[in-house]
Every structure is written in structure tokens, then in C-alpha cells.
Amino acid sequence: MAANGKTKTNAGTNGKAVQAHAEEEHGYEFLGPPGAFIISFGLPVLVYVLTFFCNDISGCPAPSLLHPSSLDWDQLKAEVGWTGFGSLLNWQAVAGTLGYYLLSLALYAFLPAEKVDGVKLSSGQRLKYRFNAWHSALFILTLLAAGTITQGAEFPVWTFITDNYVGILTTNIIISYFLATFSYVRSFSVKYPNDPDGRELAPGGRTGNMLYDWFIGRELNPRVVLPIFGEIDIKAWCELRPGMLGWIIIDLAFIMKQYRNFGRVTDSIVLITIAQAIYSLDSLFMEPAILTTMDIIQDGFGMMLSFGDLVWVPFTYTIQTRYLSVYPVDLGIKGVLAVLAVQSFGYYVFRSVNNEKNRFRTNPEDPRVSHLKYIETEAGSRLLISGWWGVARHINYLGDWFMSWSYVLPTALSGYVIRNAAEHPITALQSDAYFFKDSYGKYAVPGEAKGWGMIFTYFFMVYFAVLLVHRERRDEEKCRRKYGKDWDRYVEHVPWRIIPYVY
């Protein structure tokens, strides 16, 4: 996930190396089939845990979790609002989610688009891509803005999202499983190795193990032709929509919920939403850049990408705004400036690094990159050893990680419990208590939960660090396999992996 948490390849030019790499044998990644099983069926459970255990019914975390030695399951169920598996899905959520997908497909098909050729495949063909995610996003956001102007925080889209949040989550999980399974089954119609339609199997997705290949993705670029909408590249379409835009829409819905709860909007929730919107909208605006990512070039489309695009990004990256919609945090001017400084530094590194890579790959003679030094590999690729990519081999991940700080810092020392003034009278000294508007004495206060909420609100920063290190290791393995002794020579020139003089 660089612009959306997507893996980026190391800086270098595309060419014969991509073709050679595509034909190489790949071993298991993610600990093979056991890891594929844990990720495919464990991560959805984790998303539910994050959703239920930090809630607007009892607190964040749910109070019973603060006393594990005396944990009562019936009490915990009441605190998280669990009424059985039937509560995970409702027809309103299904209809609303499918309507959103249908709208996104319609905008993809009918709005003006930039047509771009992809990188050369091992067959020698180049797939054509149709990019208009930016215009689609502007269209949808304009509709939402118009609805908000006319109806305010009560605009039905905003209340629908927050009222049906769990159902929308479940619907997206089901869709991600469906797309992964559909793509896996359909991959067996690929005429490997020379399909006349340019279809290919992913290098790492043809191990023969059903579970692993379903998880990692067996077909490289699965495409379907739909009535009315025409040809859709499933992987490229899911890469930035609907999940990437959905991330920002959910953030906005929680801003509106905060306003409905307290009659105001705090600087912290606005700051997080702006930071994430910049990240997301930048990705949508730079949509053609996904063609140089490992997701498009090397990884098949399976459960890993399907779930990551449609569920993990929109529903775990919005934990902070969901938290702040229930317990407001006021940063003040100093707090805002401090967070903006971190965000600006991260974005500067992220965008500068990726611009340098894309310019060098598309036109090495560009005056902005023509002065950069590089080594040429036997495969014909060029690896930068100066500029940003001469600082660290995966310097792009550093900017990503710093931006993740700005998503979590505004939640401060998080944690709250929800009480009723009739049962727990509030004192005049409790200035950190926030009463819910029109809720008959219901209020949120840090209480004994103070600090424990960071398990949820700071989850993204810790997870992202682990993810980036894992992806860096994955990149290193692939690059070493791809370039051989040339990679060893490159490492001598650029010894640091992500953080200069540290790692």
C-alpha cells in the first residue's frame, strides 16, 4: 500500500527483467498454506474484534475487557451489542453497498478516461487500462457535498453508513471472498503459457495448493466483460475503488456522527480526515502509477488483494475517526501544527520518492532525473544509486510510515467509558466528560479506560510498521531472485533498507 498501502517495486526501468521474472519459480510466502489460512480467515475476525470491542455502547475498550480475571461473557456481549450472528448482516446494508459498487462501475464505464498501456507481459503483449478514478471520486464527493449542504449531518447517506456500519462491513467481506473465489476458478480457463487474449498466471500463484493459490492469486490480471459496463480489469478496479474512496466517505460519515452526538466538530477529527483524504485523493489522481506496483506487475488477484482493497483499508484505517465521533479531542493550534509537521514531512518524502521513480522509469532523459546515477543489470534494468533511492533501497516506505503517525496522534491518550448520569453522577471537576446531544444524560469520560484505547486507535501505526518491514523483506527476496549478483552489487552502493543509519 504506498498510496493505498500498495507495494511498490524498487526504482528501476521496466523491460526484459519483468518478463524474465514472470517465468521464475516462486516458493511460498506468508508461511505458505498455514499463513494463507490464518490471514484469510483470521483477519476478518480481527476486523470484527476492532469494531465491537471499541464501540459507542459501553466504551473503548469495552469495560469488561479491563478486568479479564472476572470477565463475564454475557456482560461482554451486552457491552458490545452482540445479539447473534444474524446481526452481522441486513438487507439494507447489502442493497446500499451493492448500489455503491454499481455507481462506481457506471462512473468507470461512462466518465471520460485516460487510456494507458500497461507494462509488457511475459507473452510480449501489453494490456490497456482505463483510468478515471479521480473524476469518479469528484463526482461522488460532489453529490455528498450537495446532500450535506441541503440536509446537514442528517443527510441519509451519513446516517445510513453509521447505522449500518457492521452490515456494510460484512457485505464487503462477502464481496471480497466472492471476487477471490471467482478469479481463482476462472483462472483455470487461462491457456498457459501463451493465451491469445493476453491472460497470464501469476508467478507466485500456481503452486498447486488450492488454499494458497486462492489466497495469493492465481491469475495475474483477471478481466471480465459485463453487459453495459464493458471490460473490467478486476484487480486494477479494486486497487483504488471502491475501497480507497470508501475510506474517505466513512471518515466523513463519522465527522457527521460527531456533530450529531455533540453539536460540534473537533479539530482532531478534521485533521485526521484531511490527512487521510490527501493520501487517498493523491492515489486516485495518480491512478496510472499503479501500473508500476508489484500488485499489478507480479501479484495475482486473490484473497490477499481482494480483502485488503475492499475491507482492510476502509474499515481499519477509519478506526481513529470512529473513535473521535464518540469521544472528541481538542488539539488546539499547537497540537494541530505538530501533527501537520509530521504529516507534511511524510507526504513530502512519499511523493518525492515515487515521482523520482516514475519519472526515471518512464523517461530517464527527463531533466529532473537525468543527473541521477545508476547501475545497469545483466537483465537490462537500471537501479538508482543516487537521489532518494540512493539513500535507502526502500525509502518510499519511510514516507508512508511517517504519514501513518498523523493518523493516530490526534486521538491522544485514548480510551473512554460510556455512562449514564442517573447511575454515575458527574462532578463539576470532570471537564473531560462529554455529554451526548439528546441522549438523556449519556456521556463519555476517560475513566479507567484512559490509555487502553490506544490499542485500537494506534493499531494502524504499529500494524503499518510491521507491514512495511514485511513487504521490504518480500521486495528484497524478489529483487535478489530477479537481479542475482547485480543486487549484491546494488546493496554495496545502498546499504540501508528503509531508515538510513538505523535499518
Side-chain angles (χ1 to χ4, degrees):
M1 290 184 283
N4 48 344
K6 308 301 180 189
T7 306
K8 302 292 187 198
T9 56
N10 185 271
T13 56
N14 293 318
K16 292 181 287 185
V18 172
Q19 179 176 344
H21 180 70
E23 293 302 319
E24 293 178 359
E25 291 296 326
H26 284 239
Y28 285 133
E29 298 180 277
F30 301 97
L31 302 179
F37 179 85
I38 292 172
I39 295 172
S40 297
F41 302 103
L43 286 189
V45 174
L46 177 57
V47 177
Y48 281 125
V49 167
L50 295 172
T51 300
F52 281 105
F53 286 4
C54 180
N55 61 73
D56 61 356
I57 299 172
S58 61
C60 181
S64 291
L65 298 175
L66 300 175
H67 306 282
S69 62
S70 59
L71 183 64
D72 181 276
W73 287 107
D74 289 333
Q75 177 64 24
L76 180 61
K77 288 178 183 178
E79 290 175 355
V80 303
W82 177 260
T83 58
F85 287 99
S87 64
L88 296 180
L89 190 63
N90 61 70
W91 288 112
Q92 294 92 338
V94 173
T97 304
L98 291 179
Y100 172 62
Y101 275 69
L102 186 64
L103 174 60
S104 187
L105 276 172
L107 295 176
Y108 168 81
F110 301 120
L111 285 182
E114 178 184 3
K115 297 181 179 179
V116 180
D117 290 336
V119 300
K120 185 179 293 185
L121 302 173
S122 61
S123 63
Q125 301 184 58
R126 292 179 184 269
L127 296 176
K128 294 188 180 297
Y129 291 85
R130 197 170 190 277
F131 292 136
N132 64 5
W134 171 249
H135 295 99
S136 298
L138 291 182
F139 183 91
I140 292 175
L141 291 175
T142 299
L143 291 180
L144 294 175
T148 305
I149 290 172
T150 57
Q151 300 185 50
E154 299 293 339
F155 180 46
V157 171
W158 305 132
T159 56
F160 177 84
I161 291 172
T162 53
D163 292 346
N164 296 277
Y165 182 80
V166 174
I168 295 171
L169 165 61
T170 303
T171 305
N172 278 277
I173 291 175
I174 293 172
I175 292 173
S176 70
Y177 275 90
F178 169 78
L179 289 178
T181 304
F182 173 81
S183 298
Y184 174 77
V185 172
R186 192 169 177 272
S187 71
F188 288 95
S189 64
V190 175
K191 297 178 177 61
Y192 181 78
N194 296 311
D195 191 288
D197 296 323
R199 299 174 65 192
E200 290 195 9
L201 297 181
R206 49 180 197 264
T207 66
N209 183 283
M210 181 183 296
L211 172 63
Y212 181 81
D213 291 348
W214 169 79
F215 161 74
I216 205 72
R218 192 167 185 272
E219 185 170 355
L220 185 62
N221 298 296
R223 295 186 166 202
V224 292
V225 177
L226 300 177
I228 301 176
F229 303 113
E231 186 177 62
I232 308 292
D233 186 298
I234 298 176
K235 183 166 66 172
W237 190 80
C238 288
E239 198 78 351
L240 295 180
R241 52 177 149 190
M244 182 62 69
L245 179 59
W247 174 13
I248 304 308
I249 293 175
I250 292 175
D251 275 344
L252 294 172
F254 283 122
I255 287 181
M256 300 306 162
K257 181 177 179 178
Q258 186 187 70
Y259 185 82
R260 293 196 302 272
N261 280 339
F262 305 104
R264 68 190 185 95
V265 174
T266 60
D267 51 12
S268 57
I269 198 170
V270 171
L271 187 59
I272 289 176
T273 301
I274 290 176
Q276 294 184 343
I278 290 173
Y279 195 65
S280 175
L281 294 176
D282 176 81
S283 302
L284 296 169
F285 184 76
M286 303 292 291
E287 187 180 16
I290 67 172
L291 295 180
T292 62
T293 64
M294 289 176 64
D295 286 1
I296 298 296
I297 296 173
Q298 297 170 6
D299 291 339
F301 183 79
M303 182 59 184
M304 180 180 71
L305 287 181
S306 181
F307 181 83
D309 291 340
L310 305 181
V311 180
W312 190 256
V313 169
F315 293 97
T316 64
Y317 290 15
T318 52
I319 290 175
Q320 297 80 25
T321 53
R322 182 163 62 85
Y323 170 89
L324 292 170
S325 72
V326 182
Y327 188 80
V329 172
D330 295 292
L331 296 174
I333 186 64
K334 291 183 179 179
V336 170
L337 291 176
V339 174
L340 284 177
V342 175
Q343 163 72 8
S344 298
F345 175 75
Y347 181 76
Y348 167 73
V349 173
F350 164 76
R351 180 45 56 205
S352 298
V353 167
N354 285 299
N355 279 344
E356 184 179 88
K357 178 197 68 174
N358 291 329
R359 287 165 183 158
F360 184 74
R361 283 188 162 186
T362 55
N363 180 20
E365 303 305 319
D366 188 318
R368 291 169 291 186
V369 295
S370 60
H371 64 285
L372 297 177
K373 298 178 181 179
Y374 60 86
I375 61 173
E376 190 159 355
T377 68
E378 292 182 358
S381 297
R382 296 174 178 179
L383 302 177
L384 289 170
I385 58 173
S386 67
W388 280 108
W389 295 92
V391 175
R393 302 195 293 276
H394 307 279
I395 188 68
N396 50 328
Y397 292 155
L398 183 61
D400 272 345
W401 192 49
F402 269 106
M403 278 192 284
S404 76
W405 290 23
S406 65
Y407 302 165
V408 304
L409 291 175
T411 62
L413 194 63
S414 55
Y416 61 80
V417 292
I418 295 177
R419 294 174 176 165
N420 191 294
E423 299 176 4
H424 302 276
I426 190 169
T427 69
L429 298 177
Q430 287 183 277
S431 59
D432 53 0
Y434 293 93
F435 277 85
F436 292 88
K437 184 180 178 182
D438 302 325
S439 292
Y440 308 103
K442 178 181 172 184
Y443 67 93
V445 64
E448 61 181 349
K450 187 173 183 178
W452 290 105
M454 295 174 70
I455 295 173
F456 300 91
T457 62
Y458 283 71
F459 169 80
F460 176 75
M461 189 175 109
V462 177
Y463 145 76
F464 207 43
V466 174
L467 174 73
L468 293 177
V469 170
H470 173 266
R471 286 189 167 177
E472 175 270 322
R473 295 282 177 168
R474 191 172 176 230
D475 290 350
E476 285 282 316
E477 181 183 344
K478 289 188 175 183
C479 289
R480 193 171 299 280
R481 185 169 58 241
K482 177 178 179 179
Y483 297 116
K485 62 182 180 180
D486 288 323
W487 187 255
D488 295 329
R489 186 159 55 99
Y490 172 65
V491 170
E492 291 180 2
H493 286 282
V494 188
W496 303 105
R497 293 173 179 265
I498 298 177
I499 305 176
Y501 306 104
V502 176
Y503 174 75

